Amino acid sequence: MLRIASLILTVSLFSTISFAQTTKSDAAKRKSQLTGFYGNRFVLQLGAGFHHNSLLKLASSYERNFRDQHPELHRSGGTDQFNYSFYGNVGVVLKEHLTLSLDVKYYLGNIVLNNYGYNTYYDQFTGYSNTVLGKTARVKYNTIGIMPRIEIGSRGSNSPVGLTHILGFGVELSKAKSGNYDAIINDNDYYYSDSLDKNSRFDFTTESAFSLTLLYGLEYRLPISKNIAWNFGGYVHLNLPVQIAIESELNGYYGFSYYETDWDAELKLRLSQNRFQNLFSLRTGLVIML
């Protein structure tokens, strides 16, 4: 009787241990098959970006002339090559290696304006031509970018963590920032020499330059815990300008005729060209997974 009881007890213990191990194994298997890292399918990213205006040194005559002719303004107005941004991103994991996200970026940059505001007009009554002098300065601008993105995880990754390929197509709106800037007042008629005007006032149009943006990037998200990761990313992007410059000759009232540049359109063109020259960027930030 004692032997039978011992045998039953041994079999019961063995069955209990086997069942526990099987249950644990099945749970781990089900856990590994969940969509998203530890089943987290919703992603929020916050961070900062660093941008390099790669073509400015090679392609921009505005920048070259500004650096060569006005070094005092170049030093005081900020760098022309490196700018920065802040970004936020929300996404949802659809499959193990596929995520859709919406990215919003706020970019802070600066741009050279050459002879900005210069115009002439002719008074038919007096027979004299009059000139509005232009200004050369480096001014600040802001860009808001909105971009839907497709995120494709590499083999062996579990989205949203791991190495991820990013494909994006979006829009950018850029606007110069009104304010006081150190400027050179340009005298095109050489009546007076060019002069430095400290804290010269610039008031810009409320309209924004519009660009279309194509992007390819690589991001690596390093998990810190089940719900938090750290993101490192590098990107190549093409910001395609939509604006064109406009010059017009208008017949005015009271015997005035004008030859003038549409400086609102010219400014938007310069902003778009500056964004086109921004080809590479880096990002880092925090990833929250829910």
Side-chain angles (χ1 to χ4, degrees):
M1 186 69 178
L2 183 59
R3 290 181 178 180
I4 295 175
S6 299
L7 180 60
I8 293 174
L9 180 60
T10 301
V11 171
S12 298
L13 289 173
F14 179 81
S15 299
T16 301
I17 294 173
S18 298
F19 177 76
Q21 290 177 342
T22 301
T23 302
K24 184 177 180 180
S25 177
D26 291 343
K29 185 177 181 180
R30 287 194 302 271
K31 188 71 172 178
S32 65
Q33 292 175 344
L34 288 174
T35 300
F37 185 68
Y38 281 94
N40 297 315
R41 298 187 60 186
F42 297 98
V43 185
L44 171 64
Q45 293 191 60
L46 298 171
F50 306 91
H51 302 254
H52 186 249
N53 296 322
S54 315
L55 299 181
L56 282 178
K57 292 290 186 182
L58 301 176
S60 176
S61 60
Y62 284 90
E63 288 287 344
R64 288 198 304 271
N65 293 337
F66 186 78
R67 288 191 299 267
D68 294 341
Q69 298 176 13
H70 309 294
E72 70 282 4
L73 294 183
H74 174 60
R75 288 190 296 267
S76 65
T79 178
D80 57 343
Q81 291 192 78
F82 296 96
N83 301 115
Y84 57 94
S85 66
F86 302 97
Y87 72 91
N89 182 295
V90 292
V92 58
V93 180
L94 301 181
K95 297 181 180 180
E96 183 180 1
H97 300 300
L98 180 63
T99 301
L100 295 182
S101 64
L102 180 65
D103 192 86
V104 179
K105 172 185 66 180
Y106 184 73
Y107 175 94
L108 299 95
N110 54 71
I111 185 175
V112 168
L113 297 181
N114 183 43
N115 209 18
Y116 181 82
Y118 174 80
N119 279 313
T120 62
Y121 63 92
Y122 176 73
D123 187 344
Q124 296 178 3
F125 294 133
T126 63
Y128 290 102
S129 293
N130 296 287
T131 299
V132 177
L133 297 181
K135 303 176 182 179
T136 296
R138 182 183 297 282
V139 302
K140 298 177 181 178
Y141 73 90
N142 300 325
T143 295
I144 296 177
I146 301 175
M147 176 177 287
R149 312 193 315 175
I150 298 175
E151 305 180 4
I152 303 173
S154 61
R155 182 174 299 179
S157 66
N158 187 8
S159 296
V161 301
L163 183 64
T164 304
H165 300 266
I166 308 294
L167 300 174
F169 178 74
V171 297
E172 286 190 349
L173 296 174
S174 300
K175 185 180 182 302
K177 187 176 180 181
S178 298
N180 295 329
Y181 300 94
D182 292 346
I184 296 294
I185 307 300
N186 306 108
D187 183 8
N188 297 68
D189 295 325
Y190 302 103
Y191 295 135
Y192 306 97
S193 60
D194 294 345
S195 59
L196 176 63
D197 185 10
K198 290 279 190 177
N199 294 317
S200 182
R201 181 67 187 178
F202 285 77
D203 291 303
F204 299 112
T205 176
T206 56
E207 297 182 20
S208 298
F210 180 75
S211 299
L212 300 176
T213 302
L214 300 173
L215 176 140
Y216 169 75
L218 282 175
E219 294 184 355
Y220 185 78
R221 297 158 188 164
L222 178 66
I224 301 175
S225 69
K226 292 181 179 180
N227 299 100
I228 297 177
W230 197 261
N231 177 62
F232 308 89
Y235 311 86
V236 179
H237 29 77
L238 185 62
N239 303 307
L240 301 173
V242 179
Q243 274 69 39
I244 60 173
I246 299 175
E247 287 191 352
S248 59
E249 187 172 356
L250 305 175
N251 291 321
Y253 297 102
Y254 307 114
F256 294 111
S257 63
Y258 303 88
Y259 179 75
E260 61 178 14
T261 298
D262 185 340
W263 284 104
D264 289 346
E266 180 70 16
L267 175 58
K268 289 192 291 184
L269 176 66
R270 291 285 298 116
L271 287 171
S272 296
Q273 289 175 337
N274 188 275
R275 297 301 303 136
F276 177 75
Q277 293 164 347
N278 181 243
L279 297 180
F280 303 101
S281 61
L282 300 173
R283 276 187 177 183
T284 186
L286 196 64
V287 182
I288 301 172
M289 299 170 286
L290 305 172

